[in-house]
Amino acid sequence: MELENRLDGDQPDVVDQASNETHEENGGQAGVVDQQEQKQAQSRADNAALKAARIQGSREAEARLRRQFDREIAESGAVNPTTGKPFQSFQEFREYGRKYQEELLEEQAEKTGRPVAELREEAENRAYLSKKRREEEGQKSQNAKRLAQQQRLVEDAMEFQKRHPGVDITQLEQDPKFKRFCGKRLYQEPISDLYDDYLELVSDAQQTARARADSKQQRGTGGGTGGETVTLSPAQQAALEEWNRENPRMKMTAKEFAAYGS
């Protein structure tokens, strides 16, 4: 009897616990759904705000452009043939242009016996085709210029290889010293001429370095020819080796380097 009572007493607790767990689970799912709906609502609100900002920015840009046109039209002093007074705004100028075009179409319709709508459509088609033709011609012109530029660079590179067969033009174009020397002249002037100018500049620097070395040597020896050995510090020796690696056609001796850096 006691066992039955205990079992009967335990069963409601188990049912209540299961019921509570079901409510909690349903409540958790509802919470997730609510969060998703809130995020979607927020996303729609953000998109609406961005769209409103874009529309407002477009309207402000149109207003600025309209004010600019109004000012330019007013300053031009052009007279409206209809009113006999200067145009006061771009809108007035455009309105006159539309009326003028309509008058021309009506005159043409009377002469040819064709409907105004048909003549207007033909005029719009001609304007559209004319615009497309200008765009195509502009694109062709740009393509032609680009091809001519590419051809010029190819011919320039070939000429450079003839004049300087021992120089790798690709490495030269990537040389920071050469690029710094050329500046904006690179690819605008023949690269062979630029390289010749560059070599001349470096040669002048070497000659100056040699002259300074000779002068220093003469001062150190009293005008004699001895004292040819020059000892460099480890840092100077490393710098000299780096220079000779980067400039194999313009290598310097220890004496020249010491004089150039003094």
Side-chain angles (χ1 to χ4, degrees):
M1 191 66 173
E2 181 180 356
L3 179 59
E4 293 177 357
N5 291 336
R6 290 176 61 186
L7 290 175
D8 292 340
D10 288 344
Q11 288 177 356
D13 293 340
V14 173
V15 173
D16 292 343
Q17 182 178 0
S19 176
N20 291 336
E21 290 177 354
T22 301
H23 287 304
E24 290 176 359
E25 183 178 354
N26 292 337
Q29 292 177 350
V32 172
V33 173
D34 291 342
Q35 291 179 1
Q36 292 177 346
E37 291 180 350
Q38 290 177 358
K39 289 181 179 179
Q40 291 176 355
Q42 182 64 36
S43 178
R44 287 194 294 269
D46 292 342
N47 290 337
L50 289 173
K51 181 177 180 180
R54 290 197 304 271
I55 294 174
Q56 180 64 22
S58 178
R59 289 175 178 173
E60 292 177 355
E62 288 182 8
R64 288 195 300 270
L65 189 60
R66 187 163 52 248
R67 288 194 296 270
Q68 177 183 348
F69 285 158
D70 289 347
R71 183 174 62 256
E72 292 177 355
I73 287 295
E75 292 175 353
S76 70
V79 176
N80 185 339
T82 303
T83 63
K85 298 179 181 179
F87 288 104
Q88 296 300 311
S89 67
F90 185 67
Q91 181 64 28
E92 181 185 353
F93 179 77
R94 293 182 62 184
E95 185 63 26
Y96 169 76
R98 282 194 292 267
K99 290 182 178 180
Y100 180 71
Q101 290 297 327
E102 286 297 319
E103 291 176 358
L104 291 179
L105 289 174
E106 290 174 358
E107 291 179 2
Q108 188 176 0
E110 291 180 0
K111 293 179 181 179
T112 61
R114 299 173 60 189
V116 173
E118 183 178 328
L119 294 173
R120 182 185 301 109
E121 183 176 2
E122 286 185 358
E124 291 174 352
N125 288 340
R126 286 196 300 270
Y128 173 77
L129 293 175
S130 178
K131 178 182 178 182
K132 293 293 291 183
R133 185 165 53 253
R134 289 195 301 271
E135 292 176 351
E136 292 174 356
E137 290 175 353
Q139 186 64 40
K140 289 181 180 179
S141 177
Q142 291 180 0
N143 292 339
K145 289 180 180 179
R146 185 163 52 251
L147 290 175
Q149 173 73 356
Q150 292 175 353
Q151 181 66 23
R152 184 183 67 80
L153 293 177
V154 170
E155 294 176 354
D156 188 30
M158 294 176 63
E159 177 64 22
F160 179 84
Q161 292 303 136
K162 290 180 181 179
R163 292 171 58 175
H164 304 282
V167 181
D168 188 331
I169 188 173
T170 302
Q171 293 183 359
L172 179 64
E173 290 174 331
Q174 297 174 354
D175 187 341
K177 296 178 181 178
F178 180 71
K179 291 170 64 176
R180 186 166 55 251
F181 167 78
C182 296
K184 295 182 179 180
R185 297 168 61 193
L186 188 61
Y187 305 123
Q188 300 301 320
E189 300 180 19
I191 193 170
S192 297
D193 295 345
L194 293 174
Y195 187 61
D196 290 341
D197 292 345
Y198 179 68
L199 291 180
E200 182 178 354
L201 176 67
V202 174
S203 177
D204 291 343
Q206 289 179 333
Q207 290 179 6
T208 301
R210 292 192 186 96
R212 294 177 62 182
D214 293 342
S215 177
K216 184 177 181 180
Q217 183 66 29
Q218 289 178 359
R219 291 197 304 271
T221 60
T225 59
E228 292 295 328
T229 301
V230 176
T231 302
L232 300 178
S233 67
Q236 290 176 322
Q237 185 64 35
L240 173 60
E241 292 175 357
E242 180 181 2
W243 167 267
N244 289 337
R245 283 196 304 272
E246 294 180 353
N247 304 272
R249 296 173 60 87
M250 299 172 287
K251 289 185 178 181
M252 299 175 66
T253 64
K255 176 182 176 182
E256 291 170 342
F257 183 84
Y260 186 75
S262 62

